[in-house]
Amino acid sequence: MNHDGPQPTYEIVDELSRFDERDTVFSRERLEPGSPQEQAYHSLHPELVEIDRRIATFIRQVGQPGDGITQEDAALFNATFDPIAGLALPDVVDGEVAPTQVQADPARMSARIKALARYLGADDVRIGPLNPAWVYSHRGTPPFFAGYQPNPPHYSGLPKTYRDLQWGDPIEIPHRYAIAMAFAQDLNLIRTGGTPFSDLEIGRVYAFSALVATQIATYIRSLGWPARAHHMRNYGVLVVPVAVDAGLGELGRCGYLIHPRLGANLRLVCVTTDLPLQLDPPVDLGIQDFCNKCLKCAHNCPSGAIPKGDKVVVRGVRKWQIDPVKCLLYWGHLRSACAICQSICPWSKPLTWPHRLVAQIAMHVPPARRFLIWADDVVYGARFKPAPPPAWSRQDQIQI
Ligand code: SF4
Ligand code: SF4
């Protein structure tokens, strides 16, 4: 790391190696059978052909009508997810830098960027170093491909202005800093658990956070410094370890960042830049010990994707590793993203003072953790129970 103070709580046990975005399940599910990309990928990974075709078949049912999902339900998914592609164009996430450069004290500039991000809607924002190991090695999911599976379903061609990397191109992001931002999801909607309403909320926060990331990146480029936004339709970096390095929280057993106030119920975006900024330290909230004792997400995961056992070493880091294939196949079965792990986590609670007090005890009084885990089961139940859909969705006629 770039600083001598506190260190992140993940454990580096070997040389870090960069992740190839082509290996993500979200890239693999877009591989059209017979396309040059699919043939290139599966000639290197013949063992994945069958499972990738299953993923592709299943995941494309998410947000689509059928099996109890009506066209009205599917429209909720499309309403929030589809427009995000417009924020993913290469000259929206990145772009022209102003010819004159504003010079400012890094501490002052950091305070200004944070205040702006909060004003625009971020629930938390911190600044860390950009570890080059967290930059994807190769492009796997650009928002548009000529003659290739685009972001379904409304964008079916290549915009004239498209200049982004193609599948398989190396990714280089030389920036020194990363501004990591967390956005809370509405817990009541997420607790509906794998329904069009949890999808609606997930898409709303993805879209809103993507907009704020592009706004912050545009602001910095207008100050004369390079900056690139990273959001769900155009990532160049792994946002979870970037956010951990910036001190937004810790990596939990469920694979999400656990934030001290928002728990796992959040979405992350970041902006990488060379604008000189003051770094925030990573944090130790006691999450590693808490997750060791808790396992609530693993016991409630319907697909068995969350490990109940020990951490494993992945590309040089010892951590809990979820099985993304199991998770995605379950989403396809539901036709919705599940998010049970995000809502069931004891850290995902409304921002009331009693919950904040309990979180403080969990962070600072390690012997209390087992009791708090037990108390969470007693008060909220050990098993996931879906919340009802929102009242507005139950109106059976539109009143003017
Ligand atoms: S989203 Fe659902 S299926 Fe996927 S890891 Fe979380 S609980 Fe398991
Ligand atoms: S549910 Fe428990 S084990 Fe899972 S991420 Fe949250 S605290 Fe960790």
Side-chain angles (χ1 to χ4, degrees):
M1 302 301 300
N2 292 3
H3 46 76
D4 301 326
Q7 298 297 307
T9 54
Y10 53 74
E11 196 187 346
I12 296 177
V13 294
D14 206 343
E15 192 176 338
L16 295 176
S17 58
R18 289 165 65 185
F19 192 26
D20 188 331
E21 198 193 18
R22 293 172 293 184
D23 292 334
T24 68
V25 283
F26 291 109
S27 296
R28 286 159 47 196
E29 55 98 351
R30 291 185 190 181
L31 291 170
E32 281 293 323
S35 67
Q37 292 86 2
E38 191 265 347
Q39 289 179 339
Y41 189 76
H42 286 140
S43 67
L44 292 174
H45 302 283
E47 75 285 2
L48 296 177
V49 172
E50 196 181 324
I51 192 68
D52 286 355
R53 295 209 172 138
R54 276 189 72 203
I55 296 172
T57 306
F58 268 74
I59 199 67
R60 285 174 200 185
Q61 296 175 6
V62 171
Q64 300 298 315
D67 279 347
I69 302 288
T70 66
Q71 187 173 348
E72 263 187 286
D73 291 335
L76 294 174
F77 179 94
N78 296 339
T80 51
F81 274 93
D82 287 0
I84 308 173
L87 293 168
L89 288 166
D91 52 354
V92 177
V93 295
D94 205 339
E96 294 291 313
V97 177
T100 54
Q101 207 164 57
V102 171
Q103 304 292 334
D105 169 65
R108 180 183 162 272
M109 189 54 83
S110 298
R112 191 170 178 81
I113 298 264
K114 288 180 182 178
L116 179 61
R118 285 179 186 279
Y119 164 74
L120 291 171
D123 289 291
D124 200 2
V125 50
R126 289 173 66 104
I127 298 166
L130 176 61
N131 186 335
W134 309 144
V135 177
Y136 281 118
S137 65
H138 294 82
R139 173 63 81 202
T141 56
F144 302 99
F145 288 144
Y148 185 58
Q149 173 71 19
N151 276 338
H154 293 325
Y155 295 90
S156 57
L158 193 68
K160 287 194 178 61
T161 55
Y162 185 77
R163 295 187 305 275
D164 203 4
L165 299 175
Q166 296 296 309
W167 187 91
D169 284 348
I171 299 178
E172 296 302 335
I173 296 176
H175 300 153
R176 295 168 61 203
Y177 306 105
I179 302 157
M181 291 171 271
F183 291 76
Q185 300 175 132
D186 182 322
L187 203 48
N188 291 325
L189 286 182
I190 296 300
R191 278 185 181 147
T192 61
T195 66
F197 304 105
S198 50
D199 275 350
L200 174 74
E201 176 61 6
I202 293 167
R204 181 190 73 81
V205 178
Y206 268 137
F208 181 50
S209 59
L211 176 64
V212 174
T214 58
Q215 289 170 325
I216 292 290
T218 304
Y219 174 71
I220 294 173
R221 292 196 301 274
S222 302
L223 297 176
W225 296 87
R228 186 213 198 271
H230 304 262
H231 62 72
M232 70 90 70
R233 286 292 191 224
N234 196 334
Y235 291 120
V237 300
L238 293 158
V239 287
V240 173
V242 164
V244 172
D245 287 353
L248 268 185
E250 287 184 63
L251 177 64
R253 180 185 290 272
C254 62
Y256 286 102
L257 181 101
I258 310 293
H259 182 276
R261 282 183 290 113
L262 309 177
N265 181 38
L266 49 72
R267 297 289 160 188
L268 297 171
V269 292
C270 76
V271 172
T272 55
T273 182
D274 276 337
L275 173 71
L277 294 168
Q278 186 176 58
L279 300 185
D280 295 306
V283 290
D284 183 349
L285 309 170
I287 299 291
Q288 306 311 302
D289 179 54
F290 198 97
C291 287
N292 249 328
K293 299 181 163 83
C294 170
L295 281 91
K296 193 166 188 173
C297 54
H299 289 313
N300 278 277
C301 173
S303 72
I306 301 176
K308 295 182 176 133
D310 293 336
K311 297 177 179 179
V312 293
V313 177
V314 183
R315 296 186 303 280
V317 180
R318 193 187 306 281
K319 60 174 189 163
W320 285 292
Q321 176 66 41
I322 73 155
D323 184 335
V325 170
K326 286 184 181 171
C327 177
L328 247 67
L329 289 176
Y330 185 68
W331 292 9
H333 165 73
L334 285 182
R335 292 177 179 260
S336 291
C338 152
I340 288 174
C341 48
Q342 287 189 296
S343 65
I344 198 84
C345 178
W347 292 83
S348 302
K349 290 289 184 287
L351 293 175
T352 59
W353 73 261
H355 288 126
R356 295 180 76 160
L357 178 64
V358 170
Q360 287 297 320
I361 296 170
M363 280 183 254
H364 301 296
V365 188
R369 288 175 189 151
R370 279 199 192 281
F371 170 76
L372 294 177
I373 291 163
W374 171 82
D376 194 81
D377 283 353
V378 170
V379 175
Y380 296 98
R383 306 302 301 177
F384 174 75
K385 286 192 207 74
W392 57 262
S393 74
R394 296 195 294 269
Q395 290 174 352
D396 57 6
Q397 60 185 37
I398 297 170
Q399 296 177 351
I400 299 174

